[in-house]
Amino acid sequence: MAPPPASSADGTDSASPKVPAGSLARTGADTTAWILGGAGLLPAGGIGAVVVVRRHKDSGSEQAKSDETN
């Protein structure tokens, strides 16, 4: 079993990183733009795929219709 971390006279862990006084905690909010961007790309990619498939089906059906009439 590992020994508990040593603590200094003021009761803080000596293993914790030293941060300047008055600095704010890091919340991870800097990744919000990446998350929103990714969330926007997923529906855009899906819509693009549907448009491509529908155009492909439409162009094939016109050729089939012209073959039937000739």
Side-chain angles (χ1 to χ4, degrees):
M1 180 177 213
S7 60
S8 62
D10 62 355
T12 60
D13 291 339
S14 61
S16 63
K18 303 295 182 204
V19 293
S23 66
L24 297 175
R26 197 161 169 220
T27 62
D30 54 342
T31 61
T32 303
W34 288 102
I35 293 170
L36 292 175
L41 286 176
L42 288 173
I47 291 169
V50 168
V51 168
V52 168
V53 168
R54 286 192 177 187
R55 284 191 178 194
H56 181 68
K57 284 184 178 180
D58 289 343
S59 65
S61 62
E62 288 177 12
Q63 185 179 6
K65 288 179 186 175
S66 65
D67 289 343
E68 290 174 5
T69 58
N70 289 337

